[in-house]
């Protein structure tokens, strides 16, 4: 109700009955406006500088173009920014959002904040964890088949080691880990498991814990391992994503390990393109390209249909990946709509 009407009512110019009628009429108008106003959907990501998340945003924008909703992108690097971001989305009239949270333990707070604004919510990439340490399975989620993808990395590392004719007793595995995040732990555990199953010696697995899940965090972690193992002549590298492997590869370059003595295999496939484009091969040998289109377009589409048509998304969706190298990445990325 407008301020003018309230003033009139206070001044006694309107009868109770007239006020009631006006109230009904204005509620009707609001409903009509809401029905007509376009759907607005937020897409909140934890590391907006990472090409992976930029790709998700781009694909979500394609869904927005296709269905005619408004996409609001928010980068939120910590809990405070996440909660302020949700309030901001609500203030802009968003009815739902998709989120990759900077900390999965924020799950309960995010759910509560979404509920307070009556917004629908879908998590992507990193699944919320409740106070009991278990996944919050009530929250709809789309993520990767982390262990299987990690195992693909492990098998590919071993295949390349064999191809190069390396003896395992002169090789070390530098596994850059980020174990507080389940999807990250599953990936590196899967890679280590597949390597050991293939015959790689368990005692030549060296884990390097990242403090932050970015290139500098991986660099610092791998640096410790290289200092501890000057005797290792050839390295395999795995990690939770491309940036984790890139950090370790940079350390090895800095210490004079030749590129041909390093086999690094990342995950994402979106954050290693500059690396593949370098004129000479580096130690970053390959990556498992995930499906950012599904993570961006499909989640946005799910949210749209949920809001517009009441179609509830699947509770849990897992996506797969495909191995790419310097030689194969261009046609594969083109096929996936990631390169023109
Ligand atoms: C995590 C990582 C990202 C990307 C996604 C894929 O969020 O931080 O780099 O690998 O998972 O789901």
């Amino acid at each position: 109700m407008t301020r003018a009407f309230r003033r009139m009512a206070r001044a006694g110019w309107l009868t109770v009955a007239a006020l009631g009628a006006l109230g009904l009429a204005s509620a009707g108008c609001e409903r009509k406006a809401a029905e007509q106003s376009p759907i607005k959907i937020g897409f909140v990501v934890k590391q907006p500088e990472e090409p992976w998340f930029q790709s998700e945003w781009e694909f979500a924008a394609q869904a927005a173009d296709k269905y005619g909703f408004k996409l609001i992108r928010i980068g939120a690097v910590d809990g405070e920014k996440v909660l302020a971001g949700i309030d901001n989305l609500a203030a802009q009239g968003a009815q739902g959002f998709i989120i990759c949270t900077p900390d999965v333990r924020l799950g309960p707070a995010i759910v509560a904040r979404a509920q307070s604004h009556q917004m629908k919510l879908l998590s992507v990439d990193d699944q919320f964890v409740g106070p009991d340490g278990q996944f919050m399975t009530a929250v709809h989620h789309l993520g990767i088949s982390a262990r299987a993808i990690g195992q693909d990395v492990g098998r590919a590392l071993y295949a390349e080691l064999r191809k190069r004719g390396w003896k395992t007793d002169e090789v070390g595995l530098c596994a850059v880990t980020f174990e507080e995040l389940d999807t990250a732990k599953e990936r590196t555990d899967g890679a280590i498991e597949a390597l050991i199953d293939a015959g790689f010696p368990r005692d030549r697995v060296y884990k390097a814990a990242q403090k932050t899940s970015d290139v500098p965090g991986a660099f610092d972690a791998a640096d410790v391992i290289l200092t501890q193992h000057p005797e290792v002549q050839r390295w395999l590298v795995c990690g939770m994503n491309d940036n984790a492997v890139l950090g370790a590869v940079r350390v090895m370059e800095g210490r004079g390990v030749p590129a041909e003595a390093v086999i690094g295999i990342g995950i994402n496939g979106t954050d290693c393109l500059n690396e593949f484009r370098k004129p000479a091969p580096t130690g970053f040998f390959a990556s498992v390209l995930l499906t950012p289109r599904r993570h961006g377009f499909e989640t946005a589409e799910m949210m749209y249909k949920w809001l517009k048509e009441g179609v509830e998304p699947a509770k849990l969706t897992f996506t797969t990946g495909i191995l790419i190298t310097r030689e194969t990445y261009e046609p594969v990325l083109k096929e996936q709509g990631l390169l023109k």
Side-chain angles (χ1 to χ4, degrees):
M1 202 186 307
T2 64
R3 231 179 282 155
F5 273 118
R6 256 184 242 123
R7 260 202 318 271
M8 279 155 65
R10 263 202 310 273
W13 294 346
L14 294 168
T15 64
V16 174
L19 255 179
L22 272 168
L24 279 177
S26 80
C29 285
E30 275 160 26
R31 241 194 335 269
K32 210 156 178 210
E35 275 160 19
Q36 282 165 359
S37 74
I39 287 187
K40 293 181 187 158
I41 296 174
F43 205 117
V44 186
V45 304
K46 62 175 180 178
Q47 286 173 284
E49 77 293 348
E50 212 180 69
W52 168 259
F53 293 107
Q54 291 163 11
S55 305
E56 283 187 340
W57 271 346
E58 262 175 54
F59 284 113
Q62 288 183 16
D65 285 347
K66 175 170 176 191
Y67 292 105
F69 62 85
K70 185 170 168 7
L71 180 77
I72 305 168
R73 302 166 213 218
I74 293 191
V77 296
D78 58 34
E80 217 175 291
K81 296 223 166 57
V82 167
L83 297 179
I86 298 171
D87 290 345
N88 188 302
L89 286 172
Q92 292 191 59
Q95 302 93 336
F97 64 96
I98 297 130
I99 182 164
C100 177
T101 170
D103 181 349
V104 288
R105 286 162 305 182
L106 289 168
I110 296 170
V111 169
R113 194 56 71 98
Q115 277 170 355
S116 79
H117 295 301
Q118 294 175 333
M119 292 166 94
K120 291 204 189 316
L121 151 74
L122 213 154
S123 63
V124 70
D125 298 321
D126 301 356
Q127 193 170 12
F128 292 174
V129 171
D132 55 358
Q134 302 297 311
F135 287 134
M136 295 177 66
T137 49
V139 178
H140 298 72
H141 177 73
L142 182 144
I144 69 164
S145 309
R147 183 160 285 254
I149 286 170
Q151 287 166 339
D152 288 346
V153 169
R155 278 191 290 268
L157 282 170
Y158 199 76
E160 185 60 21
L161 169 148
R162 294 294 299 269
K163 199 169 152 203
R164 295 189 192 185
W166 292 1
K167 294 195 194 70
T168 51
D169 59 1
E170 38 175 61
V171 182
L173 169 69
C174 174
V176 180
T177 63
F178 191 65
E179 300 202 332
E180 54 265 55
L181 178 62
D182 187 81
T183 182
K185 180 170 174 8
E186 284 293 309
R187 298 173 201 190
T188 43
D189 281 358
I192 293 169
E193 180 185 80
L195 267 168
I196 291 173
D197 283 354
F200 191 80
R202 192 182 291 271
D203 61 352
R204 301 194 70 84
V205 171
Y206 308 122
K207 281 194 187 182
Q210 287 178 273
K211 286 204 180 74
T212 52
S213 66
D214 51 13
V215 177
F219 187 99
D220 292 346
D223 203 39
V224 175
I225 298 297
L226 271 277
T227 304
Q228 286 170 346
H229 296 284
E231 77 289 356
V232 174
Q233 284 161 28
R234 303 179 201 278
W235 286 102
L236 304 181
V237 187
C238 68
M240 70 173 285
N241 56 18
D242 291 340
N243 282 345
V245 173
L246 283 171
V249 166
R250 295 289 93 90
V251 169
M252 292 167 187
E253 286 167 350
R255 287 175 176 256
V257 181
E260 57 275 15
V262 180
I263 306 169
I265 303 189
I267 293 175
N268 279 4
T270 47
D271 308 29
C272 56
L273 301 185
N274 289 341
E275 195 70 10
F276 285 154
R277 287 183 182 127
K278 287 183 178 168
T282 71
F284 191 100
F285 171 70
S287 178
V288 177
L289 172 68
L290 305 180
T291 52
R293 183 171 200 284
R294 297 198 60 193
H295 289 236
F297 188 98
E298 211 170 296
T299 53
E301 183 180 52
M302 282 173 175
M303 179 56 75
Y304 174 76
K305 292 194 169 166
W306 200 6
L307 293 168
K308 178 87 180 170
E309 297 155 20
V311 181
E312 188 184 338
K315 267 272 145 77
L316 205 51
T317 309
F318 289 120
T319 62
T320 54
I322 161 172
L323 195 80
I324 52 169
T325 62
R326 270 171 80 87
E327 280 69 42
T328 64
Y329 82 96
E330 274 195 44
V332 178
L333 266 77
K334 278 185 186 153
E335 205 181 286
Q336 306 277 321
L338 286 157
L339 269 185
K340 294 231 167 63

